[in-house]
Amino acid sequence: MKAFRGPKVWLWRWRRNPLRRRADVVEAWLLLAAWLLTVVTGVLAGLLAARSVEHGLARERADWRPTVARVVARAPGRSAAEDSGGSGGERVWAEVRWTAPDGRAHTGQARVAPGSRAGTPVTVWTDPQGHLVSRPTTPSEAAFRSTLTGALVGVTAAAAPLVGGLALRSRLERRRLAHWDAEWARLGPQWGRMTG
C-alpha cells in the first residue's frame, strides 16, 4: 500500500520552495527536454517517412504504364465458355510476352483468365525499362499507405528519446534515494537521542 502523498501540485519543481533541491530542478529540466525531444523526433520522423513513401508511390504512378501482352501458351484451367459453373473472376498464372518501349521482346508470368488461349491479349504493367511490375497504387491507397508508414515510423522513432528519458529519470531517482539513505544513516541516530 502506498503512503498518502497529498494533492498533486503541478509544476512543483519550478516553484520557489525552501525544500526544493537542485536535483529536483535538474530532473525537471531533463524530463521536459526528454518529452520535447520525444514529440519533435516522432513528428519529424513520421512526416519525413510519410512524405518519402508518398513521393515514391507517386513516381511509380507516373512511370509505370499499362502494356498489352499476349499469352504465350494456353493457360491452365477451363475458360469461362467451357465452365458452366463460372470461375467467379479467378485468375491463374501464365507466361505472357510483350514488347518494351525500346522494341525488345520480354516474357514473364502474369495473372490471366483460366483457359486463355495463346495470343489472348492481357494488360500488364511495366516500368520504363519494360520489366513487369505490379499495378501502381491509387492516390487514396498511397495516402493510406504513407499515413500508416509515417505513424509507425514516428512512434518507433519517438520511443528512443522516451526510453532514454525514462532511464535517466530512474537513475536520478535511484541516486536521490541513495543520498537519502546516506543522510538518514548519518542523522537517524540523532533523532533517537532527541526523543529519549
Side-chain angles (χ1 to χ4, degrees):
M1 187 166 129
K2 289 187 175 182
F4 178 73
R5 294 184 182 203
K8 187 163 187 123
V9 178
W10 293 99
L11 303 174
W12 67 270
R13 286 183 170 102
W14 281 283
R15 292 183 178 184
R16 295 204 178 275
N17 183 340
L19 298 177
R20 183 183 70 178
R21 296 162 300 183
R22 186 171 154 254
D24 294 330
V25 175
V26 169
E27 181 180 349
W29 283 109
L30 287 174
L31 289 177
L32 178 63
W35 277 109
L36 287 174
L37 189 60
T38 297
V39 170
V40 169
T41 300
V43 169
L44 287 178
L47 288 174
L48 288 174
R51 184 177 297 153
S52 175
V53 169
E54 181 69 39
H55 178 70
L57 294 175
R59 190 173 54 242
E60 287 177 359
R61 280 193 305 276
D63 291 346
W64 295 358
R65 298 279 177 243
T67 303
V68 175
R70 303 270 176 197
V71 176
V72 174
R74 182 172 162 82
R78 294 171 34 175
S79 68
E82 298 170 343
D83 190 8
S84 59
S87 58
E90 287 183 27
R91 310 285 272 177
V92 297
W93 288 101
E95 188 172 359
V96 296
R97 177 173 284 131
W98 68 97
T99 303
D102 63 4
R104 293 186 327 196
H106 291 276
T107 58
Q109 295 285 318
R111 307 273 292 178
V112 299
S116 294
R117 297 175 192 260
T120 303
V122 62
T123 302
V124 296
W125 288 86
T126 59
D127 63 10
Q129 290 77 34
H131 300 111
L132 277 181
V133 293
S134 60
R135 179 187 60 84
T137 59
T138 64
S140 61
E141 290 171 340
F144 175 74
R145 205 181 278 184
S146 64
T147 301
L148 184 62
T149 302
L152 291 174
V153 168
V155 168
T156 303
L162 178 64
V163 169
L166 292 175
L168 182 61
R169 182 177 186 210
S170 175
R171 183 172 178 172
L172 290 172
E173 183 73 24
R174 283 193 311 269
R175 186 174 178 213
R176 182 173 40 252
L177 290 175
H179 282 273
W180 283 355
D181 285 345
E183 285 294 312
W184 184 252
R186 188 173 63 86
L187 296 175
Q190 294 175 7
W191 280 84
R193 283 185 258 154
M194 290 182 188
T195 58

